Amino acid sequence: MAFLPAEIIKTKRNGGELSFDEINEFILGYARGSIPDYQMAALLMATFFKGMTKEETLSLTKSMLFSGEVVDFSSVKGFKVDKHSTGGVGDKTSLILGPIVAAAGVPVPMISGRGLGHTGGTLDKLESIPGFNTQKSLTEFVELVRKHAICFIGQTKEICPADKKIYALRDVTATVESLPLICASIMSKKLAEGIDGLVLDVKYGSGAFMKTPALAEELAINLMAIAKGYGKKVTALLTNMDQPLGRFAGNSLEVDECVAIMKNEKHIGVHGYDMYEDTRELSLRLSAHMLLLAGVGKNEEESYKIATDILVSGKAMAKFEELCSIHGGNLSAVPTPKHSVVVTADKQGFVHGFNTESIGVAGILIKAGRAQTTDIIAPTAGIEFHAKVGDEVKAGDTVFTLFGDDKDLLQSAVPLLKSAINISLPKIAKPSLILKVLS
């Protein structure tokens, strides 16, 4: 049966439900080049406004998944598990949890992304390590996971080519923030990894795509439904992105933070607590749920203890060094920034909150992130955070430090960072890092 693209667009524009065959024909036609950008853009916008049913979202995921190859991990023993984060500022947990879980003997195949907009990307962090090569073939990917229980690669041309093409179009047509499009994009890539289980870190707050816990939970439930529909074990954590995670945002700086944590180092800030603590805790909690899905531990607390023991013993650090070695990375040569610029508080009070997205945009200004996919990242550019929500600060106290190799660029981001912190009275409580676990 022949399908007319314009009729499919019209059906969705009018709020109708599309069949799998209609969606599949449209998606594969676009991937092959027989359907032009303007018709795909029209369908994306119709979907943005009219949404999709659960069945349509599953169909869209399936079409994008099978537009390319699905990795075959049948030669790799054990339960294969991955983590996906919906993104944020200073979100670096993959670099810690991957080694923890792999050191427990659970295979962790990770097809990761690059940063775009205010959110960071795992590949950019790893590639700030000189020589670290994430451009492995799928054959190499499987072999490295079989031998070492871990490997990080970028999305190859064989993995979900339709999604790669559609995502680029969504970015320039203002259709990124569509629940079915987000779900199908995330899950098609994760299912293509050939994993058995998935832990989702779904962010909410000023630095997340989902600004409220309710929206984050809706996204988590939809992502979980797709995973379950494909027979995968899945758990989702709703986590706070109303402030940056950890001590640093910026690629080589985040690598340094992760290495410090895996070496059991602490950095006690001016407010008397370890500035690595939230990164460490979230990494351990996500690791625990990955281990639990794989049957390592009877419950979350036992799995958490196993993860903690691996971290404290140095086994996670040894596995990270092994990861760097198999990817050709020279961990001892991670570059350091040439310049720093401090940003101070304008008044006394308590930190009531951050515009975390603005902090991410400041990162783009100093080239720690990308505004467009073609932008070149400066590996040493980044921001250090000296205060968290609930901390007391005085006028003149340092609240951020900017790092990088271009001092003029660093100075240009100071006004944006000054406006990104809300200091006022009265004193407020520190927020919870993890709001809820869905399983």
Side-chain angles (χ1 to χ4, degrees):
M1 179 180 175
F3 295 97
L4 294 174
E7 291 302 311
I8 293 173
I9 295 166
K10 187 190 295 182
T11 299
K12 181 46 61 185
R13 181 199 69 189
N14 294 339
E17 184 171 349
L18 300 174
S19 68
F20 169 73
D21 288 340
E22 287 173 316
I23 291 171
N24 194 49
E25 199 68 24
F26 204 105
I27 296 302
L28 294 184
Y30 182 62
R32 290 190 298 258
S34 58
I35 290 176
D37 280 353
Y38 60 81
Q39 285 187 312
M40 189 72 231
L43 184 63
L44 292 173
M45 192 57 76
T47 301
F48 183 89
F49 283 112
K50 297 297 182 179
M52 280 186 163
T53 64
K54 178 183 174 183
E55 289 72 22
E56 284 178 300
T57 306
L58 279 169
S59 295
L60 179 60
T61 305
K62 185 176 181 180
S63 296
M64 295 203 295
L65 171 62
F66 291 109
S67 69
E69 289 186 32
V70 176
V71 183
D72 180 6
F73 272 113
S74 58
S75 65
V76 179
K77 293 179 181 178
F79 185 96
K80 277 70 71 176
V81 66
D82 192 8
K83 182 272 305 181
H84 176 79
S85 167
T86 55
V89 178
D91 181 21
K92 57 192 79 74
T93 58
S94 291
L95 276 64
I96 300 170
L97 62 84
I100 288 174
V101 177
V106 177
V108 185
M110 282 201 170
I111 298 178
S112 301
R114 300 192 182 281
L116 187 62
H118 75 277
T119 63
T122 298
L123 295 185
D124 299 317
K125 302 181 207 306
L126 290 170
E127 288 177 356
S128 72
I129 302 169
F132 199 108
N133 176 23
T134 61
Q135 305 307 301
K136 303 284 187 184
S137 70
L138 293 183
T139 302
E140 290 174 301
F141 181 48
V142 173
E143 185 62 14
L144 287 170
V145 172
R146 190 180 69 77
K147 285 184 177 178
H148 302 277
I150 191 169
C151 184
F152 284 77
I153 64 168
Q155 185 178 354
T156 70
K157 64 181 187 298
E158 300 95 345
I159 294 288
C160 302
D163 171 70
K164 196 168 187 179
K165 196 173 178 185
I166 289 166
Y167 193 91
L169 193 61
R170 285 169 59 204
D171 192 46
V172 296
T173 56
T175 53
V176 170
E177 300 93 342
S178 162
L179 202 59
L181 298 179
I182 290 170
C183 290
S185 177
I186 290 171
M187 293 307 300
S188 61
K189 291 194 286 285
K190 287 299 165 186
L191 293 167
E193 288 180 339
I195 54 175
D196 302 307
L198 179 65
V199 172
L200 296 161
D201 179 6
V202 183
K203 307 287 190 188
Y204 65 89
S206 63
F209 286 116
M210 299 299 169
K211 301 302 182 189
T212 67
L215 288 172
E217 185 164 353
E218 184 183 6
L219 174 58
I221 288 167
N222 278 270
L223 291 169
M224 292 175 76
I226 295 172
K228 289 174 184 174
Y230 279 87
K232 309 298 181 185
K233 289 186 175 181
V234 61
T235 298
L237 283 70
L238 305 185
T239 68
N240 190 315
M241 193 37 74
D242 270 326
Q243 60 183 337
L245 185 69
R247 181 184 172 194
F248 293 111
N251 298 292
S252 68
L253 296 172
E254 291 186 49
V255 169
D256 287 343
E257 178 174 340
C258 292
V259 168
I261 290 168
M262 287 186 282
K263 288 182 174 179
N264 295 301
E265 295 173 7
K266 294 185 177 183
H267 179 81
I268 305 303
V270 294
H271 299 284
Y273 58 85
D274 182 9
M275 295 301 289
Y276 298 142
E277 181 53 37
D278 50 352
T279 300
R280 179 188 289 108
E281 177 63 12
L282 184 55
S283 299
L284 286 169
R285 287 293 166 192
L286 291 167
S287 298
H289 284 287
M290 292 170 75
L291 292 172
L292 191 58
L293 287 184
V296 180
K298 298 189 187 78
N299 51 46
E300 183 188 344
E301 289 313 309
E302 186 173 311
S303 298
Y304 180 87
K305 184 181 183 304
I306 292 167
T308 303
D309 289 346
I310 289 170
L311 182 65
V312 171
S313 69
K315 290 177 183 175
M317 186 63 218
K319 181 59 74 170
F320 186 69
E321 289 172 337
E322 184 182 336
L323 174 72
C324 290
S325 177
I326 65 176
H327 281 275
N330 183 358
L331 195 55
S332 64
V334 174
T336 55
K338 295 175 183 175
H339 302 291
S340 63
V341 172
V342 300
V343 181
T344 57
D346 289 333
K347 60 181 179 179
Q348 183 169 349
F350 294 90
V351 179
H352 274 229
F354 295 91
N355 184 332
T356 313
E357 185 169 345
S358 290
I359 295 171
V361 173
I364 294 171
L365 286 178
I366 64 172
K367 298 194 179 298
R370 291 184 187 83
Q372 300 175 13
T373 53
T374 53
D375 289 350
I376 304 298
I377 277 183
T380 60
I383 305 167
E384 181 177 5
F385 312 107
H386 298 276
K388 297 278 186 179
V389 172
D391 288 342
E392 184 177 11
V393 294
K394 297 180 176 66
D397 282 356
T398 299
V399 286
F400 304 104
T401 302
L402 288 150
F403 292 97
D405 296 339
D406 185 331
K407 198 160 190 178
D408 290 339
L409 269 186
L410 302 185
Q411 291 287 359
S412 73
V414 170
L416 187 54
L417 283 180
K418 276 188 172 286
S419 68
I421 185 169
N422 176 12
I423 299 168
S424 53
L425 296 171
K427 183 177 182 178
I428 66 164
K430 290 184 175 288
S432 298
L433 180 60
I434 300 170
L435 179 70
K436 187 184 284 189
V437 177
L438 306 173
S439 59

